[in-house]
Amino acid sequence: MSILNSVRSQLVPIHPQGYPFIGAFAVVSLILFWWWTPLGWIGALATVWCTFFFRDPARVTPVREGLIVAPADGRVSRVTDAVPPKDLELGDWPLPRVSIFMSVFDCHVNRSPAEGRIERIVYRAGKFINAELDKASEDNERNALVIATASGRIGLVQIAGLIARRIVCFVREGEAIGAGERIGLIRFGSRVDVYLPLGAKPLVAEGQTAIAGETLMADLKVNEGPPNYRVG
């Protein structure tokens, strides 16, 4: 292996969605250096942060029917029962819901919580209040998906936050998706809610740090034996 390939293997990949933003930060930094050096260094730090924000590392996902993995990096902010948004068409009764809050320092590439088919996608424009507030699930800009799996239908809602202004969806209705595969990205701080099938018991706790595609959130087939693993 060449030295260049060795260096590349140690670097965390950057998602292509981030290139325009990183480039803009870098150009502004150069202008600031020309204008006043201390401001240029501030711009350089901001460019490094922007690069860090759009990182897209590989993940090792447990794969087995019934396993539900975290769709986002961040802190589990709430584990509760809640009526899902009408956009999901999952009924009018409370379902187990896990909310993951992503700060501006977390990786913002979202991943599918389970293997299945994208049954429904509904985007709604909205406000940009603090994503940690419970009402953000109804008031904020959001993108709702329903994934039909062999163990039931799972709802996932990408919610824009106080800073976020754009939700990017990578999948389409009718598309087959594997657990841990990339489904979207939210720019600059946000939240993801997952609505589990009725009767499912979340395996995460409030305050826990979740890793997208790796952290096990629920097991709908507890007697199916140990999972396999996939890197991606």
Side-chain angles (χ1 to χ4, degrees):
M1 180 181 291
S2 68
I3 295 178
L4 181 59
N5 287 337
S6 297
V7 172
R8 285 176 176 172
S9 67
Q10 299 303 314
L11 298 176
V12 176
I14 303 300
H15 196 277
Q17 286 282 336
Y19 293 155
F21 294 90
I22 296 169
F25 272 70
V27 169
V28 171
S29 297
L30 291 174
I31 295 173
L32 291 175
F33 268 118
W34 173 79
W35 188 38
W36 191 40
T37 300
L39 283 179
W41 284 114
I42 294 175
L45 289 175
T47 302
V48 171
W49 166 78
C50 187
T51 303
F52 180 72
F53 178 89
F54 283 104
R55 66 195 184 281
D56 185 18
R59 296 291 164 82
V60 181
T61 302
V63 180
R64 175 172 58 71
E65 183 180 332
L67 293 183
I68 310 298
V69 297
D73 285 24
R75 177 175 55 83
V76 177
S77 59
R78 185 161 299 186
V79 179
T80 187
D81 289 342
V83 177
K86 296 186 183 299
D87 298 336
L88 294 175
E89 296 185 354
L90 291 179
D92 298 325
W93 48 85
L95 296 176
R97 187 187 77 186
V98 177
S99 300
I100 300 175
F101 177 75
M102 295 175 283
S103 77
V104 293
F105 299 104
D106 290 313
C107 174
H108 274 55
V109 175
N110 300 149
R111 293 171 178 261
S112 175
E115 179 180 2
R117 181 178 60 84
I118 306 297
E119 184 178 275
R120 182 175 177 81
I121 299 177
V122 181
Y123 170 81
R124 298 289 186 190
K127 301 177 182 178
F128 298 98
I129 62 176
N130 189 339
E132 286 203 90
L133 299 177
D134 199 48
K135 65 178 181 178
S137 61
E138 289 291 339
D139 295 342
N140 279 23
E141 175 192 4
R142 63 189 186 273
N143 191 53
L145 300 89
V146 175
I147 303 173
T149 77
S151 304
R153 299 164 75 213
I154 298 170
L156 184 148
V157 185
Q158 298 169 288
I159 304 170
L162 196 63
I163 301 175
R165 288 296 186 273
R166 181 76 171 114
I167 299 174
V168 183
C169 188
F170 302 157
V171 294
R172 296 175 295 180
E173 288 185 357
E175 182 177 339
I177 191 77
E181 291 185 7
R182 296 163 180 82
I183 59 171
L185 180 149
I186 315 177
R187 295 173 186 162
F188 307 120
S190 41
R191 186 178 112 197
V192 175
D193 288 346
V194 178
Y195 292 87
L196 302 171
L198 189 65
K201 295 183 178 180
L203 300 178
V204 293
E206 293 182 6
Q208 178 178 342
T209 298
I211 300 176
E214 294 191 354
T215 300
L216 186 61
M217 290 204 315
D219 187 352
L220 307 181
K221 299 280 187 178
V222 293
N223 298 318
E224 289 294 317
N228 296 315
Y229 292 88
R230 184 183 66 241
V231 179

Short mmCIF file of all heavy atoms in Angstrom, two decimals, residues 132-199:
data_model
loop_
_atom_site.label_atom_id
_atom_site.label_comp_id
_atom_site.label_asym_id
_atom_site.label_seq_id
_atom_site.Cartn_x
_atom_site.Cartn_y
_atom_site.Cartn_z
N GLU A 132 -35.10 20.13 20.44
CA GLU A 132 -35.24 19.34 21.67
C GLU A 132 -36.64 19.47 22.27
O GLU A 132 -37.05 18.63 23.06
CB GLU A 132 -34.19 19.77 22.70
CG GLU A 132 -32.79 19.29 22.37
CD GLU A 132 -31.91 19.23 23.59
OE1 GLU A 132 -31.88 18.17 24.25
OE2 GLU A 132 -31.25 20.23 23.89
N LEU A 133 -37.36 20.52 21.89
CA LEU A 133 -38.71 20.70 22.41
C LEU A 133 -39.66 19.70 21.77
O LEU A 133 -39.58 19.42 20.57
CB LEU A 133 -39.20 22.13 22.14
CG LEU A 133 -38.39 23.25 22.79
CD1 LEU A 133 -38.95 24.61 22.38
CD2 LEU A 133 -38.39 23.11 24.31
N ASP A 134 -40.59 19.16 22.55
CA ASP A 134 -41.48 18.12 22.05
C ASP A 134 -42.35 18.61 20.90
O ASP A 134 -42.65 17.87 19.96
CB ASP A 134 -42.35 17.59 23.19
CG ASP A 134 -42.95 16.22 22.87
OD1 ASP A 134 -42.19 15.35 22.43
OD2 ASP A 134 -44.16 16.05 23.03
N LYS A 135 -42.76 19.89 20.95
CA LYS A 135 -43.64 20.41 19.91
C LYS A 135 -42.94 20.57 18.57
O LYS A 135 -43.59 20.79 17.54
CB LYS A 135 -44.24 21.74 20.34
CG LYS A 135 -43.25 22.88 20.51
CD LYS A 135 -43.97 24.17 20.90
CE LYS A 135 -43.00 25.33 21.05
NZ LYS A 135 -43.72 26.59 21.38
N ALA A 136 -41.62 20.42 18.55
CA ALA A 136 -40.89 20.52 17.29
C ALA A 136 -41.30 19.42 16.32
O ALA A 136 -41.23 19.59 15.11
CB ALA A 136 -39.38 20.45 17.54
N SER A 137 -41.77 18.29 16.86
CA SER A 137 -42.18 17.18 16.00
C SER A 137 -43.39 17.53 15.15
O SER A 137 -43.65 16.92 14.12
CB SER A 137 -42.48 15.93 16.84
OG SER A 137 -43.54 16.20 17.75
N GLU A 138 -44.16 18.54 15.57
CA GLU A 138 -45.33 18.97 14.82
C GLU A 138 -45.12 20.30 14.10
O GLU A 138 -45.65 20.51 13.01
CB GLU A 138 -46.54 19.10 15.76
CG GLU A 138 -47.08 17.77 16.26
CD GLU A 138 -47.74 16.94 15.16
OE1 GLU A 138 -48.13 17.52 14.12
OE2 GLU A 138 -47.85 15.73 15.33
N ASP A 139 -44.33 21.21 14.70
CA ASP A 139 -44.23 22.57 14.19
C ASP A 139 -43.07 22.78 13.21
O ASP A 139 -43.15 23.64 12.33
CB ASP A 139 -44.07 23.56 15.35
CG ASP A 139 -45.31 23.61 16.24
OD1 ASP A 139 -46.38 23.16 15.77
OD2 ASP A 139 -45.21 24.08 17.38
N ASN A 140 -41.98 22.02 13.36
CA ASN A 140 -40.78 22.29 12.57
C ASN A 140 -40.83 21.68 11.17
O ASN A 140 -41.63 20.78 10.89
CB ASN A 140 -39.55 21.75 13.30
CG ASN A 140 -39.07 22.69 14.38
OD1 ASN A 140 -39.83 23.50 14.88
ND2 ASN A 140 -37.80 22.58 14.76
N GLU A 141 -39.94 22.17 10.32
CA GLU A 141 -39.73 21.53 9.02
C GLU A 141 -39.38 20.07 9.29
O GLU A 141 -38.57 19.77 10.17
CB GLU A 141 -38.57 22.21 8.27
CG GLU A 141 -38.21 21.51 6.97
CD GLU A 141 -36.90 22.00 6.38
OE1 GLU A 141 -36.23 22.83 7.01
OE2 GLU A 141 -36.54 21.53 5.29
N ARG A 142 -39.98 19.16 8.52
CA ARG A 142 -39.72 17.74 8.78
C ARG A 142 -39.92 16.91 7.52
O ARG A 142 -40.60 17.32 6.58
CB ARG A 142 -40.63 17.23 9.90
CG ARG A 142 -42.12 17.26 9.58
CD ARG A 142 -42.95 16.95 10.81
NE ARG A 142 -44.37 16.84 10.52
CZ ARG A 142 -45.21 17.87 10.50
NH1 ARG A 142 -44.76 19.10 10.74
NH2 ARG A 142 -46.49 17.69 10.23
N ASN A 143 -39.32 15.73 7.55
CA ASN A 143 -39.49 14.76 6.48
C ASN A 143 -39.85 13.44 7.13
O ASN A 143 -39.07 12.91 7.93
CB ASN A 143 -38.20 14.63 5.66
CG ASN A 143 -38.41 13.84 4.39
OD1 ASN A 143 -39.30 14.15 3.60
ND2 ASN A 143 -37.59 12.82 4.17
N ALA A 144 -41.03 12.92 6.82
CA ALA A 144 -41.53 11.71 7.46
C ALA A 144 -41.44 10.53 6.50
O ALA A 144 -41.80 10.65 5.32
CB ALA A 144 -42.98 11.91 7.92
N LEU A 145 -40.96 9.39 7.01
CA LEU A 145 -40.87 8.18 6.21
C LEU A 145 -41.52 7.02 6.95
O LEU A 145 -41.44 6.95 8.18
CB LEU A 145 -39.40 7.80 5.92
CG LEU A 145 -38.52 8.77 5.16
CD1 LEU A 145 -37.82 9.75 6.10
CD2 LEU A 145 -37.46 8.01 4.36
N VAL A 146 -42.10 6.12 6.21
CA VAL A 146 -42.60 4.86 6.77
C VAL A 146 -41.86 3.73 6.08
O VAL A 146 -41.80 3.67 4.85
CB VAL A 146 -44.12 4.70 6.56
CG1 VAL A 146 -44.57 3.32 7.05
CG2 VAL A 146 -44.88 5.79 7.30
N ILE A 147 -41.27 2.85 6.89
CA ILE A 147 -40.53 1.70 6.36
C ILE A 147 -41.31 0.44 6.70
O ILE A 147 -41.54 0.14 7.88
CB ILE A 147 -39.11 1.63 6.95
CG1 ILE A 147 -38.36 2.93 6.66
CG2 ILE A 147 -38.35 0.44 6.38
CD1 ILE A 147 -37.01 3.03 7.35
N ALA A 148 -41.74 -0.28 5.68
CA ALA A 148 -42.47 -1.54 5.89
C ALA A 148 -41.45 -2.66 6.02
O ALA A 148 -40.66 -2.91 5.12
CB ALA A 148 -43.41 -1.80 4.71
N THR A 149 -41.44 -3.32 7.18
CA THR A 149 -40.50 -4.42 7.43
C THR A 149 -41.27 -5.71 7.66
O THR A 149 -42.50 -5.71 7.81
CB THR A 149 -39.62 -4.13 8.66
OG1 THR A 149 -40.39 -4.36 9.86
CG2 THR A 149 -39.12 -2.68 8.65
N ALA A 150 -40.55 -6.81 7.73
CA ALA A 150 -41.19 -8.10 7.98
C ALA A 150 -41.77 -8.19 9.38
O ALA A 150 -42.61 -9.05 9.66
CB ALA A 150 -40.16 -9.22 7.77
N SER A 151 -41.34 -7.28 10.27
CA SER A 151 -41.80 -7.30 11.66
C SER A 151 -42.78 -6.18 11.98
O SER A 151 -43.16 -6.01 13.14
CB SER A 151 -40.59 -7.21 12.61
OG SER A 151 -39.66 -8.24 12.34
N GLY A 152 -43.16 -5.41 10.97
CA GLY A 152 -44.09 -4.31 11.21
C GLY A 152 -43.63 -3.03 10.53
O GLY A 152 -42.55 -2.97 9.95
N ARG A 153 -44.48 -2.01 10.60
CA ARG A 153 -44.17 -0.73 9.98
C ARG A 153 -43.48 0.19 10.99
O ARG A 153 -43.90 0.29 12.14
CB ARG A 153 -45.43 -0.08 9.45
CG ARG A 153 -46.14 -0.91 8.39
CD ARG A 153 -47.55 -0.44 8.18
NE ARG A 153 -47.58 0.82 7.41
CZ ARG A 153 -48.50 1.75 7.59
NH1 ARG A 153 -49.42 1.61 8.52
NH2 ARG A 153 -48.47 2.85 6.85
N ILE A 154 -42.44 0.86 10.53
CA ILE A 154 -41.65 1.75 11.39
C ILE A 154 -41.73 3.16 10.83
O ILE A 154 -41.55 3.38 9.62
CB ILE A 154 -40.19 1.29 11.47
CG1 ILE A 154 -40.11 -0.10 12.09
CG2 ILE A 154 -39.34 2.29 12.26
CD1 ILE A 154 -38.74 -0.73 11.98
N GLY A 155 -42.04 4.11 11.68
CA GLY A 155 -42.07 5.51 11.26
C GLY A 155 -40.79 6.22 11.65
O GLY A 155 -40.23 5.98 12.72
N LEU A 156 -40.31 7.07 10.78
CA LEU A 156 -39.10 7.85 11.04
C LEU A 156 -39.36 9.28 10.59
O LEU A 156 -39.84 9.51 9.48
CB LEU A 156 -37.90 7.26 10.29
CG LEU A 156 -36.53 7.90 10.54
CD1 LEU A 156 -35.42 6.85 10.45
CD2 LEU A 156 -36.25 9.02 9.53
N VAL A 157 -39.06 10.24 11.46
CA VAL A 157 -39.28 11.64 11.14
C VAL A 157 -37.98 12.42 11.34
O VAL A 157 -37.45 12.48 12.46
CB VAL A 157 -40.39 12.26 12.01
CG1 VAL A 157 -40.67 13.69 11.55
CG2 VAL A 157 -41.67 11.43 11.94
N GLN A 158 -37.47 13.00 10.26
CA GLN A 158 -36.32 13.89 10.33
C GLN A 158 -36.85 15.29 10.61
O GLN A 158 -37.66 15.82 9.85
CB GLN A 158 -35.55 13.89 9.01
CG GLN A 158 -34.97 12.54 8.61
CD GLN A 158 -34.47 12.56 7.17
OE1 GLN A 158 -35.27 12.60 6.23
NE2 GLN A 158 -33.16 12.57 6.99
N ILE A 159 -36.37 15.90 11.68
CA ILE A 159 -36.90 17.20 12.12
C ILE A 159 -35.79 18.24 12.11
O ILE A 159 -34.75 18.04 12.73
CB ILE A 159 -37.50 17.10 13.54
CG1 ILE A 159 -38.58 16.01 13.58
CG2 ILE A 159 -38.07 18.44 13.97
CD1 ILE A 159 -39.05 15.68 14.98
N ALA A 160 -36.01 19.33 11.39
CA ALA A 160 -35.04 20.42 11.36
C ALA A 160 -34.99 21.09 12.72
O ALA A 160 -35.98 21.13 13.45
CB ALA A 160 -35.40 21.42 10.28
N GLY A 161 -33.83 21.66 13.05
CA GLY A 161 -33.66 22.29 14.34
C GLY A 161 -33.57 23.80 14.27
O GLY A 161 -33.98 24.43 13.30
N LEU A 162 -33.00 24.38 15.32
CA LEU A 162 -32.91 25.83 15.45
C LEU A 162 -32.01 26.43 14.37
O LEU A 162 -32.25 27.53 13.88
CB LEU A 162 -32.36 26.17 16.85
CG LEU A 162 -32.52 27.60 17.34
CD1 LEU A 162 -34.00 27.95 17.46
CD2 LEU A 162 -31.84 27.77 18.69
N ILE A 163 -30.96 25.68 13.99
CA ILE A 163 -30.01 26.17 12.99
C ILE A 163 -30.28 25.54 11.63
O ILE A 163 -30.06 26.15 10.59
CB ILE A 163 -28.57 25.87 13.44
CG1 ILE A 163 -28.29 26.54 14.79
CG2 ILE A 163 -27.56 26.35 12.41
CD1 ILE A 163 -26.93 26.20 15.37
N ALA A 164 -30.77 24.29 11.64
CA ALA A 164 -30.97 23.57 10.38
C ALA A 164 -31.99 24.27 9.49
O ALA A 164 -32.98 24.81 9.97
CB ALA A 164 -31.44 22.15 10.66
N ARG A 165 -31.72 24.26 8.19
CA ARG A 165 -32.65 24.87 7.23
C ARG A 165 -32.88 23.97 6.02
O ARG A 165 -33.53 24.37 5.08
CB ARG A 165 -32.08 26.22 6.74
CG ARG A 165 -32.12 27.32 7.80
CD ARG A 165 -33.55 27.67 8.17
NE ARG A 165 -33.62 28.81 9.08
CZ ARG A 165 -33.55 28.72 10.39
NH1 ARG A 165 -33.35 27.54 10.96
NH2 ARG A 165 -33.64 29.80 11.16
N ARG A 166 -32.38 22.75 6.06
CA ARG A 166 -32.52 21.91 4.88
C ARG A 166 -32.43 20.45 5.26
O ARG A 166 -31.48 20.01 5.89
CB ARG A 166 -31.44 22.25 3.86
CG ARG A 166 -31.52 21.43 2.59
CD ARG A 166 -32.65 21.92 1.68
NE ARG A 166 -32.58 21.26 0.38
CZ ARG A 166 -33.48 20.41 -0.08
NH1 ARG A 166 -34.52 20.10 0.64
NH2 ARG A 166 -33.35 19.86 -1.27
N ILE A 167 -33.45 19.68 4.91
CA ILE A 167 -33.45 18.23 5.08
C ILE A 167 -33.27 17.61 3.70
O ILE A 167 -34.03 17.90 2.78
CB ILE A 167 -34.76 17.74 5.71
CG1 ILE A 167 -34.95 18.36 7.10
CG2 ILE A 167 -34.76 16.22 5.81
CD1 ILE A 167 -36.29 18.03 7.74
N VAL A 168 -32.26 16.76 3.56
CA VAL A 168 -31.97 16.11 2.29
C VAL A 168 -32.33 14.64 2.41
O VAL A 168 -31.88 13.96 3.33
CB VAL A 168 -30.49 16.26 1.91
CG1 VAL A 168 -30.23 15.63 0.54
CG2 VAL A 168 -30.07 17.72 1.91
N CYS A 169 -33.17 14.14 1.50
CA CYS A 169 -33.60 12.74 1.51
C CYS A 169 -32.92 12.01 0.37
O CYS A 169 -32.94 12.48 -0.78
CB CYS A 169 -35.12 12.66 1.39
SG CYS A 169 -35.79 11.00 1.60
N PHE A 170 -32.31 10.86 0.66
CA PHE A 170 -31.58 10.09 -0.36
C PHE A 170 -32.41 8.98 -0.98
O PHE A 170 -31.95 8.33 -1.94
CB PHE A 170 -30.33 9.44 0.25
CG PHE A 170 -29.36 10.41 0.88
CD1 PHE A 170 -28.48 9.98 1.86
CD2 PHE A 170 -29.31 11.75 0.50
CE1 PHE A 170 -27.57 10.85 2.45
CE2 PHE A 170 -28.42 12.63 1.09
CZ PHE A 170 -27.55 12.17 2.07
N VAL A 171 -33.60 8.69 -0.44
CA VAL A 171 -34.37 7.53 -0.89
C VAL A 171 -35.68 7.97 -1.51
O VAL A 171 -36.10 9.12 -1.39
CB VAL A 171 -34.64 6.56 0.29
CG1 VAL A 171 -33.34 5.95 0.79
CG2 VAL A 171 -35.36 7.28 1.43
N ARG A 172 -36.35 7.01 -2.17
CA ARG A 172 -37.63 7.28 -2.83
C ARG A 172 -38.67 6.25 -2.40
O ARG A 172 -38.32 5.15 -1.98
CB ARG A 172 -37.47 7.24 -4.35
CG ARG A 172 -36.56 8.32 -4.92
CD ARG A 172 -36.36 8.15 -6.40
NE ARG A 172 -35.65 6.89 -6.70
CZ ARG A 172 -35.33 6.48 -7.93
NH1 ARG A 172 -35.71 7.20 -8.97
NH2 ARG A 172 -34.68 5.34 -8.10
N GLU A 173 -39.93 6.61 -2.54
CA GLU A 173 -41.00 5.67 -2.22
C GLU A 173 -40.90 4.42 -3.09
O GLU A 173 -40.62 4.51 -4.29
CB GLU A 173 -42.37 6.33 -2.42
CG GLU A 173 -42.70 7.38 -1.37
CD GLU A 173 -44.11 7.92 -1.53
OE1 GLU A 173 -44.80 7.52 -2.49
OE2 GLU A 173 -44.54 8.76 -0.71
N GLY A 174 -41.11 3.26 -2.47
CA GLY A 174 -41.05 1.99 -3.18
C GLY A 174 -39.67 1.37 -3.20
O GLY A 174 -39.52 0.21 -3.60
N GLU A 175 -38.68 2.10 -2.75
CA GLU A 175 -37.30 1.60 -2.79
C GLU A 175 -37.03 0.64 -1.64
O GLU A 175 -37.46 0.85 -0.51
CB GLU A 175 -36.34 2.80 -2.71
CG GLU A 175 -34.88 2.45 -2.79
CD GLU A 175 -34.00 3.69 -2.78
OE1 GLU A 175 -34.52 4.78 -3.11
OE2 GLU A 175 -32.81 3.57 -2.45
N ALA A 176 -36.30 -0.45 -1.93
CA ALA A 176 -35.87 -1.37 -0.88
C ALA A 176 -34.65 -0.78 -0.19
O ALA A 176 -33.79 -0.17 -0.82
CB ALA A 176 -35.54 -2.73 -1.47
N ILE A 177 -34.58 -0.98 1.13
CA ILE A 177 -33.50 -0.39 1.91
C ILE A 177 -33.01 -1.42 2.92
O ILE A 177 -33.80 -2.22 3.44
CB ILE A 177 -33.99 0.90 2.62
CG1 ILE A 177 -32.83 1.68 3.23
CG2 ILE A 177 -35.02 0.58 3.68
CD1 ILE A 177 -32.04 2.46 2.23
N GLY A 178 -31.73 -1.43 3.18
CA GLY A 178 -31.16 -2.32 4.18
C GLY A 178 -30.93 -1.58 5.49
O GLY A 178 -30.79 -0.35 5.51
N ALA A 179 -30.89 -2.30 6.58
CA ALA A 179 -30.62 -1.68 7.88
C ALA A 179 -29.25 -1.01 7.85
O ALA A 179 -28.27 -1.60 7.40
CB ALA A 179 -30.67 -2.73 8.98
N GLY A 180 -29.18 0.23 8.32
CA GLY A 180 -27.92 0.95 8.37
C GLY A 180 -27.54 1.66 7.10
O GLY A 180 -26.53 2.38 7.08
N GLU A 181 -28.34 1.51 6.04
CA GLU A 181 -28.02 2.21 4.79
C GLU A 181 -28.42 3.69 4.91
O GLU A 181 -29.37 4.04 5.60
CB GLU A 181 -28.74 1.56 3.61
CG GLU A 181 -28.20 0.18 3.26
CD GLU A 181 -28.84 -0.40 2.01
OE1 GLU A 181 -29.60 0.34 1.34
OE2 GLU A 181 -28.60 -1.57 1.70
N ARG A 182 -27.71 4.54 4.21
CA ARG A 182 -27.92 5.98 4.30
C ARG A 182 -29.27 6.37 3.67
O ARG A 182 -29.56 5.97 2.55
CB ARG A 182 -26.78 6.73 3.61
CG ARG A 182 -25.42 6.50 4.29
CD ARG A 182 -24.27 6.88 3.37
NE ARG A 182 -22.97 6.67 4.01
CZ ARG A 182 -22.35 5.48 4.07
NH1 ARG A 182 -22.92 4.40 3.53
NH2 ARG A 182 -21.17 5.39 4.66
N ILE A 183 -30.05 7.16 4.42
CA ILE A 183 -31.36 7.57 3.91
C ILE A 183 -31.49 9.08 3.78
O ILE A 183 -32.42 9.58 3.15
CB ILE A 183 -32.51 7.05 4.79
CG1 ILE A 183 -32.35 7.57 6.23
CG2 ILE A 183 -32.57 5.53 4.77
CD1 ILE A 183 -33.55 7.28 7.10
N GLY A 184 -30.59 9.84 4.41
CA GLY A 184 -30.73 11.29 4.32
C GLY A 184 -29.73 12.02 5.20
O GLY A 184 -28.86 11.41 5.84
N LEU A 185 -29.89 13.34 5.22
CA LEU A 185 -28.97 14.21 5.96
C LEU A 185 -29.72 15.48 6.35
O LEU A 185 -30.56 15.97 5.60
CB LEU A 185 -27.76 14.53 5.09
CG LEU A 185 -26.65 15.42 5.63
CD1 LEU A 185 -25.31 14.99 5.02
CD2 LEU A 185 -26.89 16.87 5.30
N ILE A 186 -29.45 15.98 7.56
CA ILE A 186 -30.04 17.24 8.00
C ILE A 186 -28.88 18.19 8.31
O ILE A 186 -27.97 17.84 9.05
CB ILE A 186 -30.92 17.07 9.24
CG1 ILE A 186 -31.84 15.85 9.10
CG2 ILE A 186 -31.74 18.33 9.48
CD1 ILE A 186 -32.69 15.58 10.32
N ARG A 187 -28.93 19.38 7.76
CA ARG A 187 -27.81 20.30 7.90
C ARG A 187 -27.89 21.14 9.18
O ARG A 187 -28.86 21.84 9.39
CB ARG A 187 -27.75 21.24 6.70
CG ARG A 187 -27.45 20.52 5.39
CD ARG A 187 -27.58 21.46 4.22
NE ARG A 187 -27.43 20.75 2.96
CZ ARG A 187 -27.83 21.24 1.79
NH1 ARG A 187 -28.42 22.42 1.73
NH2 ARG A 187 -27.65 20.55 0.69
N PHE A 188 -26.86 20.99 10.01
CA PHE A 188 -26.57 21.91 11.12
C PHE A 188 -27.54 21.85 12.31
O PHE A 188 -28.10 22.87 12.71
CB PHE A 188 -26.46 23.35 10.60
CG PHE A 188 -25.49 23.49 9.46
CD1 PHE A 188 -25.92 23.95 8.23
CD2 PHE A 188 -24.17 23.14 9.61
CE1 PHE A 188 -25.03 24.08 7.17
CE2 PHE A 188 -23.27 23.26 8.56
CZ PHE A 188 -23.70 23.73 7.34
N GLY A 189 -27.68 20.70 12.92
CA GLY A 189 -28.41 20.59 14.18
C GLY A 189 -29.86 20.20 14.00
O GLY A 189 -30.59 20.88 13.30
N SER A 190 -30.32 19.12 14.64
CA SER A 190 -31.66 18.62 14.34
C SER A 190 -32.02 17.45 15.25
O SER A 190 -31.34 17.16 16.23
CB SER A 190 -31.72 18.20 12.88
OG SER A 190 -30.53 17.51 12.52
N ARG A 191 -33.10 16.74 14.86
CA ARG A 191 -33.58 15.61 15.66
C ARG A 191 -34.22 14.57 14.75
O ARG A 191 -34.75 14.90 13.68
CB ARG A 191 -34.63 16.13 16.65
CG ARG A 191 -35.12 15.10 17.65
CD ARG A 191 -36.10 15.75 18.61
NE ARG A 191 -37.46 15.25 18.44
CZ ARG A 191 -38.53 15.86 18.91
NH1 ARG A 191 -38.42 17.01 19.54
NH2 ARG A 191 -39.72 15.34 18.74
N VAL A 192 -34.16 13.32 15.17
CA VAL A 192 -34.83 12.24 14.45
C VAL A 192 -35.69 11.47 15.45
O VAL A 192 -35.21 11.07 16.52
CB VAL A 192 -33.82 11.29 13.77
CG1 VAL A 192 -34.55 10.10 13.15
CG2 VAL A 192 -33.04 12.02 12.70
N ASP A 193 -36.96 11.28 15.10
CA ASP A 193 -37.88 10.47 15.91
C ASP A 193 -38.12 9.14 15.20
O ASP A 193 -38.31 9.10 13.98
CB ASP A 193 -39.23 11.18 16.08
CG ASP A 193 -39.15 12.37 17.02
OD1 ASP A 193 -38.14 12.51 17.73
OD2 ASP A 193 -40.11 13.17 17.02
N VAL A 194 -38.14 8.07 15.98
CA VAL A 194 -38.47 6.75 15.44
C VAL A 194 -39.69 6.22 16.18
O VAL A 194 -39.71 6.18 17.42
CB VAL A 194 -37.30 5.76 15.59
CG1 VAL A 194 -37.70 4.38 15.06
CG2 VAL A 194 -36.07 6.26 14.85
N TYR A 195 -40.73 5.84 15.44
CA TYR A 195 -41.94 5.26 16.00
C TYR A 195 -41.90 3.76 15.75
O TYR A 195 -41.91 3.30 14.61
CB TYR A 195 -43.18 5.88 15.37
CG TYR A 195 -43.36 7.33 15.75
CD1 TYR A 195 -42.73 8.35 15.02
CD2 TYR A 195 -44.15 7.70 16.84
CE1 TYR A 195 -42.89 9.68 15.37
CE2 TYR A 195 -44.31 9.03 17.20
CZ TYR A 195 -43.67 10.01 16.46
OH TYR A 195 -43.82 11.33 16.81
N LEU A 196 -41.83 2.99 16.85
CA LEU A 196 -41.73 1.55 16.76
C LEU A 196 -43.12 0.91 16.71
O LEU A 196 -44.11 1.53 17.11
CB LEU A 196 -40.97 1.02 17.98
CG LEU A 196 -39.55 1.58 18.19
CD1 LEU A 196 -39.00 1.14 19.53
CD2 LEU A 196 -38.64 1.14 17.06
N PRO A 197 -43.21 -0.33 16.24
CA PRO A 197 -44.51 -1.02 16.24
C PRO A 197 -45.07 -1.14 17.66
O PRO A 197 -44.33 -1.19 18.65
CB PRO A 197 -44.17 -2.39 15.65
CG PRO A 197 -42.94 -2.16 14.83
CD PRO A 197 -42.16 -1.13 15.58
N LEU A 198 -46.38 -1.19 17.76
CA LEU A 198 -47.06 -1.30 19.04
C LEU A 198 -46.56 -2.53 19.80
O LEU A 198 -46.48 -3.63 19.24
CB LEU A 198 -48.58 -1.40 18.82
CG LEU A 198 -49.46 -1.30 20.06
CD1 LEU A 198 -49.33 0.08 20.69
CD2 LEU A 198 -50.92 -1.59 19.69
N GLY A 199 -46.20 -2.33 21.06
CA GLY A 199 -45.72 -3.43 21.89
C GLY A 199 -44.21 -3.58 21.93
O GLY A 199 -43.68 -4.32 22.75
#
